[in-house]
Amino acid sequence: MPHKALNGRWPSLWAWAWLRVLAVGIWVGLIAAPAWAAEGSQPVVAVWLDPTGTATPDVAFEQLQGAQAQPYTPRRIWPFAPGQAYWFLLGPIGLDEPLAISVPYPGVDQVELFWRTDPQAPWQLRRAGDQIPNSEWPLPYLHPVFFALAKPAAMMLRVDHGLPSALPVLVQTQREFAEEAQYALMAVGAYVGFVLLVVILALTHALVYRQRLFALYAAYVVVLALTQASLVGAAARFLWPHAPLLADRAPLVFPMLSLVMGTWLVREIVRPLPSPWLDRVLWASMGIGLVFALRFAWFGLTPGYVYANLYFLASVPLLPGVLLWHALRRSDSSWWFVAGISALLLAAGFVALSNIGWLPRRSWTPYWPQIGAWLEIPLFMFGLLQRNRRERELQLRQASLQKDDPTTGLLNERMTLERLSHAIERAQGGGEFRVALLVGLRDIEAIGRELGDSGRNSALVHAALAITRVMRPGDTAGRVGDAEFLLILEHCRTPEQARSVATRVIAQGLAQRFSTIERGRGLRLWVVIAQSVGGWPDARMLLHEMRREAARVRGDETRAIAIINPP
């Protein structure tokens, strides 16, 4: 028994260990990422805040070279706010090839590149960002990218954004950018293919097994994928490239909707809930998320953005806590859900903390939710598949109990009598010779007194095994009494064949490896053969007559086989 318990807990232990490794990995990444994002050679040499947002490029260029300019660090949180603009001066670029100037921050409102080839030449302008349709960007991509000639005389970036944020700027050759873009788009395509595969698999399970939970999970994965696509800029590039309003508000709306769907999914997984107040808390959480989603969809970015992040942070202990209770008290499969939702919420929690200023924002911060979602989706799928397998096993076990005898595995009395009734009807309709055998254990009472209930049940199992060994395809065997079995033969067409089967049943009983102190090895069986079952009006009358004859056989130690014919 101990090894079975260990095997049953193995998925839980594995999922718990995976969760711990995942948490450690996230914290290590949080600590080590600043070292990976070392400043190195930075293209930005100065920053100037335009408090009115109306300065011309010439004024901004002059201010960037004066005392009002600030030094630039890529990890600094710049206090962007509506109505203001930040200007970034790019220093001399030591590259002799055409340039690609990137702002790898999906979701920035507007980025303008001003550049000129000669100090006296007019400024040239390129625009990108969520306030401009992605299809009208100089290079439609996941984030703003501008192409420029090698070694321009001067370059500046003007940035409008509504939230305090770090602003990474990258200058590289166009060839280097093209190579990196290929890998980025390949990753987006792989993620989309993975999501489609999971959705199709979930919907297939929902249709085949009539499991509403799989359909809800498929909807949750779709909303989660739209959330990730909105946050990394893939949705603005491929789904709504001509709708800047959607590109601007989708990164606000879909995270709230994904949290609502996640709460709904958790509620369905743990039902019935342990208490009514917890159900009300989950419903209230979903309602708050919908309110925030509608508010962002209608008004866009509002001061309520901070409260939305606090609402998200409140969900971080709530949802994993509910699943943790379910895993400890009800189902081991919930450990997969605990690991999955913890991966997503921990990763997204760093973004929420950086949004409200509790953690510094880095250039890699927006991509933490993608890593968490990539881990959560398969973990949830594994948990649902394991949960579905156990439910199917339980349903099959319940269905078998309705037709099978739990001790011997043969048909129970109700199903056996139905089969006997069908055999009588077929014999009456076709005039065929059909045979039924009633088999019993002669020493069942003595076995019970000597070996107890376990020995009695073991004897019944051995008797059932002796009967099944003489059966052929199409025959029916079932338990019809405390120690009696009915065998309906479909292949016997003569009395001699029926008596041969009865003799083999008795021989198989004696050959069983079942022994008692008083009677030695084997089982003594008796058999009553009912020939031409079509001559009886119904199954119960036939069984009654067979039992009357069986009483005489049990009283005579010299008899093992008896035959009855229709009246």
Side-chain angles (χ1 to χ4, degrees):
M1 292 303 293
H3 71 279
K4 292 184 178 179
L6 180 60
N7 291 338
R9 292 185 59 193
W10 176 251
S12 301
L13 296 174
W14 187 92
W16 181 244
W18 173 253
L19 175 60
R20 294 178 64 181
V21 171
L22 175 66
V24 171
I26 289 177
W27 281 110
V28 169
L30 182 65
I31 295 172
W36 301 337
E39 293 184 19
S41 59
Q42 298 298 333
V44 179
V45 297
V47 182
W48 174 65
L49 170 63
D50 177 12
T52 63
T54 59
T56 63
D58 292 326
V59 172
F61 188 71
E62 181 180 353
Q63 292 292 333
L64 285 167
Q65 295 177 328
Q68 298 296 324
Q70 306 176 46
Y72 170 82
T73 55
R75 296 197 295 268
R76 178 178 175 182
I77 302 295
W78 300 100
F80 292 104
Q84 300 178 352
Y86 269 90
W87 290 79
F88 298 81
L89 177 64
L90 278 64
I93 309 299
L95 298 174
D96 296 328
E97 300 181 34
L99 305 177
I101 298 94
S102 306
V103 180
Y105 180 14
V108 65
D109 291 346
Q110 182 172 267
V111 179
E112 296 175 313
L113 174 66
F114 293 88
W115 59 285
R116 58 188 179 187
T117 57
D118 184 87
Q120 305 302 322
W123 291 98
Q124 300 187 41
L125 173 62
R126 299 289 186 272
R127 288 191 178 96
D130 284 348
Q131 295 180 357
I132 302 170
N134 190 278
S135 59
E136 298 179 8
W137 289 10
L139 178 66
Y141 189 59
L142 306 179
H143 54 257
V145 179
F146 307 97
F147 286 169
L149 298 176
K151 296 184 177 180
M155 285 194 301
M156 296 185 298
L157 287 174
R158 181 184 182 275
V159 181
D160 293 313
H161 196 49
L163 290 175
S165 175
L167 190 77
V169 179
L170 181 63
V171 177
Q172 56 192 151
T173 66
Q174 294 181 11
R175 179 184 178 85
E176 293 172 341
F177 166 77
E179 292 176 353
E180 294 183 4
Q182 291 174 2
Y183 288 109
L185 295 177
M186 181 181 68
V188 171
Y191 182 77
V192 171
F194 171 68
V195 167
L196 290 177
L197 177 63
V198 171
V199 169
I200 292 173
L201 183 61
L203 291 178
T204 301
H205 277 77
L207 293 174
V208 172
Y209 297 110
R210 307 295 181 184
Q211 289 278 354
R212 185 182 65 174
L213 192 59
F214 277 98
L216 180 60
Y217 170 71
Y220 169 67
V221 170
V222 171
V223 175
L224 186 62
L226 289 173
T227 301
Q228 308 308 320
S230 300
L231 293 175
V232 301
R237 173 64 191 95
F238 300 108
L239 299 181
W240 38 77
H242 307 289
L245 188 63
L246 279 175
D248 181 60
R249 298 186 180 180
L252 302 172
V253 175
F254 280 111
M256 295 294 102
L257 292 179
S258 64
L259 189 54
V260 171
M261 293 295 296
T263 305
W264 188 6
L265 182 62
V266 169
R267 179 181 178 273
E268 292 297 321
I269 288 173
V270 302
R271 289 180 62 188
L273 295 167
S275 61
W277 69 264
L278 181 57
D279 193 24
R280 289 192 290 268
V281 168
L282 294 178
W283 277 114
S285 177
M286 288 187 282
I288 294 172
L290 284 176
V291 169
F292 278 121
L294 292 174
R295 182 181 179 88
F296 290 144
W298 187 260
F299 297 104
L301 186 63
T302 64
Y305 184 74
V306 174
Y307 299 105
N309 280 277
L310 293 175
Y311 156 70
F312 173 82
L313 292 175
S315 301
V316 171
L318 174 63
L319 300 184
V322 173
L323 290 173
L324 182 62
W325 170 86
H326 193 257
L328 292 172
R329 295 295 184 88
R330 291 186 181 174
S331 175
D332 286 347
S333 61
S334 288
W335 286 112
W336 294 101
F337 306 133
V338 172
I341 201 166
S342 298
L344 179 63
L345 292 180
L346 283 174
F350 296 142
V351 180
L353 289 172
S354 66
N355 288 339
I356 62 177
W358 292 2
L359 283 179
R361 188 179 185 92
R362 313 291 190 225
S363 60
W364 39 262
T365 300
Y367 296 97
W368 274 112
Q370 280 69 47
I371 300 174
W374 182 81
L375 292 171
E376 184 206 32
I377 290 176
L379 289 173
F380 256 73
M381 193 64 187
F382 292 152
L384 290 176
L385 291 175
Q386 185 180 21
R387 175 192 177 102
N388 180 66
R389 178 178 60 81
R390 293 185 176 180
E391 290 182 354
R392 293 291 299 170
E393 290 176 353
L394 179 60
Q395 292 173 0
L396 291 175
R397 191 176 299 114
Q398 291 175 345
S400 66
L401 290 176
Q402 295 177 0
K403 65 176 184 178
D404 296 341
D405 174 57
T407 302
T408 63
L410 302 179
L411 294 178
N412 58 26
E413 184 169 352
R414 180 181 63 84
M415 293 297 299
T416 305
L417 291 178
E418 287 184 6
R419 299 287 180 88
L420 182 59
S421 298
H422 294 159
I424 293 174
E425 292 175 1
R426 291 197 305 272
Q428 292 172 347
E432 298 178 355
F433 181 86
R434 293 185 181 273
V435 177
L437 275 62
L438 183 66
V439 182
L441 280 76
R442 186 177 296 276
D443 305 318
I444 188 64
E445 294 181 359
I447 292 173
R449 289 192 298 268
E450 181 178 337
L451 302 179
D453 291 339
S454 61
R456 181 188 180 90
N457 292 335
S458 179
L460 292 173
V461 171
H462 280 79
L465 181 61
I467 294 171
T468 56
R469 285 183 173 176
V470 304
M471 293 175 59
R472 292 174 58 180
D475 295 346
T476 299
R479 185 179 176 186
V480 294
D482 183 35
E484 296 175 342
F485 304 90
L486 190 66
L487 177 59
I488 305 172
L489 303 177
E490 297 290 341
H491 62 281
C492 285
R493 292 294 179 263
T494 63
E496 291 76 15
Q497 292 178 347
R499 189 174 183 87
S500 174
V501 172
T503 303
R504 288 163 53 201
V505 168
I506 294 174
Q508 287 291 338
L510 294 174
Q512 291 296 309
R513 296 183 178 180
F514 180 84
S515 61
T516 58
I517 298 176
E518 182 179 349
R519 287 165 179 79
R521 180 175 172 178
L523 293 172
R524 294 198 301 166
L525 303 178
W526 52 259
V527 181
V528 174
I529 304 173
Q531 301 182 139
S532 303
V533 297
W536 273 271
D538 56 54
R540 293 196 176 275
M541 180 175 290
L542 172 57
L543 183 60
H544 176 71
E545 292 298 326
M546 296 176 77
R547 283 174 170 167
R548 288 181 58 184
E549 185 65 24
R552 290 190 284 269
V553 173
R554 289 195 301 269
D556 188 351
E557 292 287 339
T558 63
R559 297 179 63 191
I561 299 177
I563 301 175
I564 62 173
N565 292 297

